[in-house]
Every structure is written in structure tokens, then in C-alpha cells.
Amino acid sequence: MSSLIKPRDVQVVYLDRQTTLLRSRTWDRLKFEVEYSLQKGTTANSFLIQSDKIALIDPPGESFTENYIKALQERLDLASIDYAIVQHFNPNRGATLKALLKLAPKLTLVCSKAAKLALDKLWQDEDLEVKVQLVNRSDLDLDLGQGHHLQFIPTPTPRWPDGICTYDPVSQILFTDKFFGAHVCGDQVLDEGWKLYSEDRRYYYDCIHAAQPRQVLTALDRIKDKPTRFYAPGHGPLVRYGKQELTQLYRSWSEKQSGQELSVALIYASAYGNTGTLAQAIARGITKSSVAVELIDCELADPAEIQAQVEKCDGFILGSPTLAGHPPTQVQTALGIVLSTAAKTKLAGVFGSFGWSGEAIDILESKLLDAGYKFGFEPIRVKFAPTDAILQQCKEAGIDFAQQLKRDLKRRTPRQSVNVSSSDRTAQAVGRVVGSLCVVSAHRGELHSGMLASWVSQATFNPPGLTVAVAKDRAMESLTHSGDRFVLNILPENSPLTRQFTRKFAPGEDRFVGLETETASNGAKILKDALAYLECTVGDRMECGDHWMVYATVQSGQVFDKTGVTAVHHRKTGSYY
């Protein structure tokens, strides 16, 4: 299959007379991080402005260094480049910056103070003379000549505390870096037919920004007065045709997320990025369950900020790498703040990655247990880099944590006196809508999951299609995006499969252990004890309150027991399953 994947390349597009887009493209998955889980490839967008002075914006990461440098050399003498604007920095981008500095001797790096501190660590063992210009004040600009007074807008977030956006008043392009992107690869540069990208952009937001909504709202306020033709994000198509709608959606999503009733402080440090990747996956599970998350990188956060978040949160989760058999100093400091600040009634969690031993996770666990805290999931210990299965386990752990917080809140909430109101009567009437009991088994790559479903209905004759309502906080929801494939296993009456899929599964637990299965042609699991099955492909999704309505077309199917009767789920109320 991999032989059919196109090789990585650089697509060069002229946006106007002096601005060029260089899209470093990968058609397969770039990284094992939750934001790339849809596996649609991605683009790393970089921009070249050639005026009296020449500037690059956001050179890509190490995966694209060779192709990117070659594409630049075909278009200009690299020695003529004056500036490289680094809107956010990570070590992966360092390889490309080093290559540029060796070929462009007069190059000055333009970045925030936080980015410079990270760059200093990168250069400390290098024999490089690096010129850096800081842009920490929003009133500073960079004059490239001919009206290209580039304006810098600070947009720090917990995940990218060094973040800035860049505005060019001549082209009226706003270079938005981590805002308004999507991980999808293709030939289309602008977002004509922008609704085609709605699902990818929403998924990108949910993975990247749902855990930092307050900072997103601040960034939106800072860019709203710039007369902008289009957004130029760091990934995916440029945003022109759907700009107004996407801006409003970012605001409404962020307002909804920041207004959640419950919140979790997710405090972590990450030596090589692996623990940070786990933190993002756990945060994704929490936010999809309608609970707010405050991501706190304790290597960057002030102790007073950590204390404030711990005081107001309903639960906290600590993540740590293991360095010389211990958590790093910053994690130990955060642990001390938690132990002295957090009420013992608050729900706790622990996770981390390690190379050869995982003592840091054990230390955090034992300290919290000794202090009397209750855990929302079993501690997660990951050796080296996480896999897709580990990321799914982390998401499910986040879901479990959020659901436990909701149960705790419900127990604390005084019960109202029982009166049969019109809403009660309506719920009882809704509950009379019945549905067949099915097990949806889905997969993406090597990852498999399954769930019991009763909100299933045929939707179309031609093509044959059906709808399945999937709760947002179901573990399997992340495997029901457009293009995903699943099997609908229709259960017979009194099937033991109903009990199997009604029980609570531990995060990452195999749902199909002990069951007789076979693999469908679309790769999902067929339950041999089902009454019948249908092989389906997701065609579309619609957000409906606390569920996603998934529409899928049916490719094939088979009845195992022609005399059997389909199991039907009868309810007394429409307020729960």
C-alpha cells in the first residue's frame, strides 16, 4: 500500500506579485500525534516575500528540509535572504533553520522572546553565529520596502507560548500559523467549496485549540481589525472563501468550551515531546466530553499560575518524563503545589513517558495516593514514543476522567422534588421511539474499536445508506469521520453480545477479546454471532447537540440467521439510553 503513496514534494504557488507560497506536502501521516489521526496527509506552508528585502515566513520541519531548500534554490540565491520569521519554534524546525543559516550568511531570525530562549538551547552546542530580532511588542514592524511593513501580533497559547501571527498590509494576507489550519493534503491551494474542509478544520480545532479556548478568543480579538483578504495558516488550504464563517466558528467553539461547568488542570512537562503528545490525547478525550481543560506546561508556567488553576479546577492530571529516576524539578514543584493546594475531593490522574525506566510516574502516583486522592484512570506508562493504540488509550482515559467528574457533580447536586412536568411527559414520549440493537465495529489502520448502538436507521435507498447517532463522548467517535469504514453488526434477540458491549471497558481495552470474529473486506470486525452485518463507509457527519449524526453508505452485507428476530431496545424515557 505504501508504494502507492505519492512522494513528498514542494508545491510552489504565486499569491501575488511579491509573495510566494511554498507548500511542503506529505500525502501520508506526518507524526503519531492525535491531530494527524485522520491520516489525510498535511502541508507545511511557508511563505516567501521578495521586496527590497527578502523574508521567509515559517520554514518547515526537518521532514521537509531537503526538498524545501532545493525549491528555494531554484528560485533565488539563498545568500540574498534577509529574514526568516519564526512564528513558533519547535526543535523539529531547527534542522531547516540550521541549513538556511549555513547558506544565507546575512540571515536574521525574527521571533518572540520565548522562541529565542528555545533557539538558544538549540544553538548552544553549534558553531553558528545567529542574529535574532525580537518582536515582543505589537507596535514593532519589519520594513521590507515597497509598503511591506510586516506587523507582528502576539498570540501565545499554553501549547505555543512563543506564538505570533504576521500581517502584510500590502497583500492584506494574515499569516496565522497554528490558527485556521487543517491536516489535509491536496493540489487545491485556496478553499473554494470551503465546506468540503469543514470536518477537517473542526477536527484540527478540537485537537489543537479546544484545550486553550481563552487564548484563542484573545487572538481573535487581536486580529479582528486587520483588513484581510485571506488567512495563510501553517497547514492545509489557505482560508479565503470560508474566512468569515470559520472566524465565527472559532469564536463560538471557544466560547462554548470556555464556558463549561467543569474543568481539569492538565499539568505536564515533556523532555522529548512524547509526554506532551500524551497530554494532547488526554486533553482531546476530556474536551470532547464537554469538560474544559487548562493545559499547563510547568516548564514554562509560573508557580502562581499553576496554583490558581489547581485551586479552581474540579480535577487535575499530572504528566512527567523520567530523568535520572525522578520527575524533573518543574514537575516536582508542581506536585508540591498540588499537594498543598488541591482539596482531597478533587479527582486525580497520572501519566508519562520514559526511556528505560518509569520511576517518575510511580513517584507521582504514590505521593497522590498517600495524600488520599482518588484516581480517574489507572496511571498511564508509555515507553518511548506513543503508538496509535496508546493515543486511543489516552483519549479514552480522558473520557473516563470527564465522565467521573460529571457523576461526582451529579451526586453533589441536590435532588429536586419529583413532579411529572410537561418535559417529563415529553421525555417519556420520546422514549417510545425504538431502535434495533447493533454493534458498530470500526477501524482505522491497526486501531479497532466497537460500541453498542440503538439509534440506527436506514436513510436512503439509492445508494443504500443509513444513519448512526454517536455520542460525542463515546470512545469510538473518533473513528467515524468521513471516509472511515465500519461494520454494523445487527444483533438477535437475547444476544450475549448485548451484555459484552454494555459493560464498562478500561481505556484501550480490546472490545473483541473472546468473541468469534472475522475481518470484513473493509477491515472492520464482523461478529459471527450477529444476526446480520453491513459493511459501511462514512459519507458525512452532522453535529446534533450532544451527538454526531453519521451518514454511511452500505457496500455489502449478509444475513447469518434468516429465521432470527432483530433485538430491539425499549426505553421508558428519552433522557438517556
Side-chain angles (χ1 to χ4, degrees):
M1 189 71 175
S2 60
S3 61
L4 300 177
I5 297 175
K6 298 179 183 179
R8 294 183 179 183
D9 64 4
V10 179
Q11 181 187 23
V12 180
V13 180
Y14 296 96
L15 300 179
D16 66 16
R17 187 171 59 87
Q18 294 177 318
T19 306
T20 303
L21 163 64
L22 295 95
R23 304 177 85 215
S24 298
R25 300 189 294 186
T26 178
W27 304 86
D28 56 352
R29 183 173 185 167
L30 182 63
K31 298 178 183 177
F32 276 97
E33 294 181 4
V34 67
E35 67 192 75
Y36 298 96
S37 293
L38 297 187
Q39 301 182 23
K40 295 185 179 181
T42 194
T43 70
N45 300 332
S46 179
F47 305 89
L48 172 65
I49 301 175
Q50 294 172 280
S51 185
D52 297 340
K53 293 186 177 180
I54 298 174
L56 290 171
I57 298 177
D58 283 343
E62 185 173 9
S63 302
F64 303 109
T65 300
E66 184 177 348
N67 286 346
Y68 179 73
I69 295 293
K70 182 179 178 182
L72 281 176
Q73 289 174 325
E74 291 173 351
R75 284 156 182 84
L76 77 163
D77 177 7
L78 267 60
S80 65
I81 301 175
D82 298 282
Y83 301 102
I85 298 167
V86 182
Q87 296 192 120
H88 85 275
F89 174 77
N90 58 45
N92 186 46
R93 183 169 278 175
T96 307
L97 293 176
K98 288 179 183 178
L100 283 171
L101 286 164
K102 291 175 181 177
L103 297 168
K106 66 175 182 176
L107 186 67
T108 296
L109 302 183
V110 181
C111 63
S112 67
K113 183 177 180 180
K116 183 181 183 301
L117 294 175
L119 284 164
D120 288 342
K121 292 182 181 179
L122 179 71
W123 313 131
Q124 62 185 1
D125 297 324
E126 300 286 336
D127 186 21
L128 283 173
E129 183 177 342
V130 183
K131 292 174 284 187
V132 177
Q133 180 172 329
L134 297 182
V135 291
N136 269 11
R137 298 205 322 268
S138 58
D139 60 334
L140 292 176
D141 64 16
L142 185 66
D143 185 4
L144 303 181
Q146 302 182 53
H148 292 278
H149 284 269
L150 301 187
Q151 301 167 17
F152 301 105
I153 306 163
T155 54
T157 64
R159 189 169 179 183
W160 297 285
D162 57 343
I164 57 173
C165 292
T166 304
Y167 177 71
D168 184 355
V170 171
S171 63
Q172 292 189 333
I173 298 174
L174 181 62
F175 303 94
T176 58
D177 191 31
K178 288 297 183 180
F179 296 93
F180 310 116
H183 287 307
V184 57
C185 187
D187 295 325
Q188 188 171 329
V189 174
L190 295 173
D191 61 341
E192 299 97 335
W194 59 271
K195 288 187 178 180
L196 293 172
Y197 299 106
S198 295
E199 186 177 333
D200 298 300
R201 285 171 169 167
R202 173 61 186 273
Y203 185 79
Y204 180 90
Y205 172 90
D206 284 344
C207 291
I208 294 213
H209 294 302
Q212 47 193 27
R214 292 185 297 105
Q215 292 82 3
V216 172
L217 290 170
T218 299
L220 292 175
D221 288 339
R222 289 177 176 175
I223 67 174
K224 66 181 180 181
D225 295 327
K226 301 293 183 185
T228 303
R229 284 198 300 133
F230 56 83
Y231 297 146
H235 302 286
L238 308 190
V239 185
R240 178 179 178 182
Y241 298 97
K243 181 172 72 70
Q244 181 176 348
E245 291 82 359
L246 186 58
T247 304
Q248 183 54 44
L249 284 170
Y250 258 60
R251 185 172 293 279
S252 62
W253 293 335
S254 298
E255 288 174 346
K256 181 179 179 181
Q257 195 60 35
S258 60
Q260 299 292 358
E261 187 175 12
L262 296 167
S263 69
V264 176
L266 206 166
I267 307 163
Y268 71 98
S270 192
Y272 302 103
N274 295 328
T275 304
T277 297
L278 302 178
Q280 295 298 324
I282 294 171
R284 175 72 186 108
I286 295 170
T287 57
K288 71 182 288 186
S289 304
S290 299
V291 172
V293 172
E294 287 287 347
L295 271 178
I296 304 170
D297 185 339
C298 59
E299 292 186 280
L300 304 170
D302 184 270
E305 177 189 352
I306 297 174
Q307 181 174 342
Q309 294 300 332
V310 170
E311 286 175 347
K312 75 175 187 178
C313 72
D314 299 282
F316 61 87
I317 302 173
L318 291 172
S320 178
T322 296
L323 302 178
H326 295 280
T329 302
Q330 297 90 336
V331 175
Q332 295 184 46
T333 300
L335 174 63
I337 293 171
V338 166
L339 292 173
S340 62
T341 303
K344 299 301 183 288
T345 55
K346 293 190 178 186
L347 201 61
V350 170
F351 70 97
S353 65
F354 56 91
W356 307 111
S357 58
E359 295 94 341
I361 304 138
D362 299 331
I363 291 170
L364 296 180
E365 179 189 14
S366 64
K367 292 286 187 182
L368 293 174
L369 284 174
D370 290 345
Y373 291 101
K374 182 177 71 172
F375 280 65
F377 55 81
E378 289 296 316
I380 298 173
R381 299 171 172 83
V382 178
K383 191 168 186 178
F384 301 120
T387 62
D388 261 343
I390 292 296
L391 294 180
Q392 182 68 14
Q393 178 188 351
C394 289
K395 282 189 282 187
E396 292 179 20
I399 292 170
D400 283 0
F401 196 91
Q403 291 175 341
Q404 182 61 54
L405 285 179
K406 290 180 177 181
R407 288 192 292 270
D408 291 346
L409 176 63
K410 189 174 182 179
R411 282 195 292 268
R412 295 195 304 269
T413 303
R415 291 189 176 184
Q416 303 295 322
S417 58
V418 179
N419 291 313
V420 180
S421 64
S422 60
S423 60
D424 294 326
R425 291 191 293 270
T426 300
Q428 291 171 12
V430 172
R432 295 307 186 267
V433 178
V434 299
S436 56
L437 279 172
C438 307
V439 171
V440 181
S441 60
H443 89 108
R444 187 185 299 132
E446 299 300 316
L447 190 61
H448 289 264
S449 188
M451 72 170 197
L452 188 68
S454 59
W455 293 5
V456 181
S457 178
Q458 183 170 351
T460 54
F461 287 126
N462 187 18
L466 52 87
T467 59
V468 182
V470 182
K472 290 180 177 178
D473 61 355
R474 295 298 289 266
M476 208 195 71
E477 179 274 330
S478 60
L479 300 180
T480 58
H481 287 267
S482 296
D484 282 331
R485 296 169 293 178
F486 66 84
V487 166
L488 186 73
N489 296 278
I490 303 162
L491 303 186
E493 287 185 327
N494 303 314
S495 172
L497 292 171
T498 303
R499 292 190 297 274
Q500 164 74 3
F501 284 90
T502 301
R503 74 178 182 85
K504 182 177 175 57
F505 292 94
E509 183 180 352
D510 186 349
R511 271 70 170 162
F512 303 98
V513 169
L515 301 180
E516 189 177 358
T517 67
E518 64 180 44
T519 302
S521 61
N522 67 11
K525 302 282 188 183
I526 297 171
L527 301 178
K528 298 298 293 292
D529 291 327
L531 180 69
Y533 76 90
L534 299 170
E535 296 189 32
C536 309
T537 300
V538 178
D540 203 356
R541 289 169 32 119
M542 181 171 69
E543 188 173 9
C544 303
D546 53 7
H547 281 66
W548 287 99
M549 183 61 68
V550 176
Y551 170 74
T553 55
V554 178
Q555 280 70 55
S556 63
Q558 183 179 340
V559 176
F560 290 136
D561 183 358
K562 294 182 180 180
T563 62
V565 178
T566 302
V568 176
H569 182 40
H570 294 277
R571 298 179 297 158
K572 292 184 178 180
T573 177
S575 299
Y576 48 84
Y577 295 119

